[in-house]
Amino acid sequence: MRPRRTLTARGVCLLLLGLIALVAGLVIGQRELVALGVLATAVPPLAALSVFGAAGRIAHSRLITPSRVRAGHDARVMVRVGNSSHAWPVTSVSIRDTLPTPLGHEPRYSLGLLGPRGVRDLAYLVRPAVRGNYPLGPLWVSVTDPLGCVRVEQRPSAPDHLLVTPATVPLGRVGTADGSQGDDSPRRSTSGIGEQDPVPREYRYGDELRRVHWRSTAKHGELMVRRDEQHRREYGTILLDTRRRAHAGTGAAHSLETAVSAAASIALHLLDQGHEVRLHTERGRMPVTAPSALLDGLAVIEPSDATAPPLGASAPASSASLTVAVLGAVEAEEAAVLARTGGGHRVAVLCAGAAWPSPDALRGVGEILSTGGWRVVRLSSIAELPPLWRDAAPLGKVPR
């Protein structure tokens, strides 16, 4: 970006007074007044020459730690500003970093004189309350001449980005209401007995001799080998309602933020328990390969203009061990369709702060889903999710 040069209030006043003195001196014939007017008029142009190229000599770097932070946590922004010239100082330097509105006021610093190869380090904190991908910058550098008549502003570089992931809360282990998992874990062996006494099979050409089960060999009179242990991985389906028309509120209290945080918390919990997670919105299935990928995807998800909740995505959930629907305001007809879908243990999380037409509508949808076999919880804020989840989580063995 090319530098932007402007006169300061002092420079404008000096130029106007110089012109007035020049004209008045010529009219009344006072050479002293004319000389004063010429001098005052010449000061701003000379001041502009003194800061020619000064803004271009300012270099800077920005470091954000961490560059990926959860909503409600602090990120530290460190800015280093330096004079790249080996011989020329830069006078009256001030900087302003550009921040989006959700991150607060733009920080401004006055650095004063930067000598040749001079460096200044600055730092400030930001605490984003809402998830998203926020640009930090560009940095605006302002240089003023020693008399304060001319200001030169330049934007030396492009912005950096801070990724803010959804706020999450830890949940109890899926299994029993008290957090235990009973006799089964998310991964289960199909061998039927265990590692110390596996179900054997006949020896086949190519099998390794170290897999020979000698006790069974002696019993059957032929070589028997241990079976390969096969594990069936449980998976859960999460349906996330991101429709614009279904949610209401502002900022961190927006019901969509509550819904996204709830879906993220449940998905992280299932991944931690060894489940495979399938996350669906109205736009389709979101890839969930790792916790970090899950949070990064949910960090930038935007409200959709779809009219129907993600009901069609629930069709493949019939074989899921757990189906969780995190919903905004849904109509009774939509709730009736959802009540007949899903697989395994089914939990419906209804955001109480969504765009429900009335409290009766919220209760009515909850009753429809409960009649269809869903465990229904009403969520006002993400802090309420852990105790509600303990009550709604599957009891005993995880459904298969």
Side-chain angles (χ1 to χ4, degrees):
M1 180 182 177
R2 299 181 62 180
R4 184 174 64 187
R5 298 176 178 85
T6 58
L7 287 174
T8 64
R10 180 182 300 177
V12 171
C13 292
L14 194 59
L15 186 61
L16 290 177
L17 290 176
L19 291 174
I20 293 172
L22 178 60
V23 173
L26 291 175
V27 170
I28 65 177
Q30 291 288 333
R31 284 187 284 182
E32 293 82 0
L33 191 58
V34 171
L36 181 61
V38 170
L39 178 61
T41 305
V43 168
L46 293 175
L49 290 176
S50 69
V51 293
F52 181 79
R57 296 196 293 271
I58 299 296
H60 92 285
S61 62
R62 184 189 291 105
L63 177 63
I64 306 172
T65 54
S67 59
R68 180 178 175 275
V69 67
R70 292 196 180 183
H73 290 73
D74 290 334
R76 184 179 182 87
V77 184
M78 292 173 285
V79 180
R80 171 166 290 185
V81 181
N83 180 6
S84 61
S85 174
H86 291 271
W88 299 97
V90 181
T91 59
S92 302
V93 180
S94 59
I95 63 170
R96 170 174 59 90
D97 212 359
T98 308
L99 296 183
T101 302
L103 296 187
H105 298 291
E106 297 179 342
R108 300 170 182 263
Y109 299 95
S110 179
L111 306 183
L113 176 69
L114 273 180
R117 308 300 296 176
V119 174
R120 298 285 179 86
D121 290 323
L122 309 168
Y124 61 91
L125 296 176
V126 293
R127 178 177 290 182
V130 180
R131 62 187 175 81
N133 190 16
Y134 295 100
L136 273 64
L139 186 77
W140 285 92
V141 175
S142 175
V143 178
T144 308
D145 69 280
L147 297 179
C149 297
V150 178
R151 179 181 296 109
V152 180
E153 283 189 319
Q154 188 171 20
R155 186 178 65 185
S157 67
D160 297 310
H161 287 268
L162 172 65
L163 183 65
V164 181
T165 59
T168 58
V169 291
L171 305 178
R173 301 182 67 186
V174 174
T176 61
D178 62 359
S180 64
Q181 278 195 300
D183 298 329
D184 277 351
S185 65
R187 297 175 184 263
R188 182 178 63 174
S189 172
T190 61
S191 62
I193 300 178
E195 291 187 4
Q196 300 302 322
D197 191 19
V199 174
R201 60 170 174 81
E202 297 83 1
Y203 174 83
R204 298 171 187 166
Y205 179 77
D207 286 337
E208 297 180 4
L209 291 179
R210 62 185 178 85
R211 294 174 53 200
V212 172
H213 192 259
W214 298 108
R215 186 193 308 172
S216 298
T217 297
K219 180 179 179 180
H220 292 85
E222 59 179 333
L223 283 177
M224 306 290 288
V225 297
R226 294 179 176 87
R227 291 180 183 271
D228 292 327
E229 286 196 43
Q230 299 175 358
H231 295 279
R232 185 180 68 180
R233 190 176 188 186
E234 302 298 332
Y235 77 88
T237 298
I238 299 176
L239 308 178
L240 174 60
D241 185 1
T242 63
R243 295 173 300 153
R244 193 185 310 274
R245 57 176 289 189
H247 292 280
T250 58
H254 198 285
S255 63
L256 177 59
E257 300 305 315
T258 303
V260 171
S261 293
S265 300
I266 296 169
L268 290 177
H269 165 67
L270 295 179
L271 288 173
D272 183 62
Q273 297 303 306
H275 285 61
E276 179 184 346
V277 175
R278 301 178 183 180
L279 178 62
H280 298 268
T281 68
E282 304 83 17
R283 301 177 179 90
R285 182 175 172 180
M286 289 183 58
V288 182
T289 56
S292 59
L294 165 74
L295 292 174
D296 291 351
L298 291 176
V300 295
I301 195 170
E302 297 289 339
S304 74
D305 294 323
T307 56
L311 302 177
S314 61
S318 58
S319 59
S321 61
L322 177 67
T323 302
V324 180
V326 184
L327 303 172
V330 297
E331 298 179 357
E333 296 79 5
E334 297 168 340
V337 175
L338 180 61
R340 299 189 296 269
T341 61
H345 188 87
R346 297 177 296 173
V347 179
V349 180
L350 303 181
C351 295
W356 298 99
S358 66
D360 291 337
L362 173 59
R363 286 192 294 269
V365 167
E367 291 173 358
I368 293 172
L369 293 174
S370 297
T371 303
W374 289 70
R375 297 288 295 272
V376 178
V377 299
R378 300 174 186 175
L379 185 67
S380 298
S381 69
I382 188 61
E384 299 175 355
L385 184 59
L388 294 175
W389 179 257
R390 284 194 294 270
D391 293 337
L395 299 177
K397 296 182 179 179
V398 180
R400 284 171 162 50

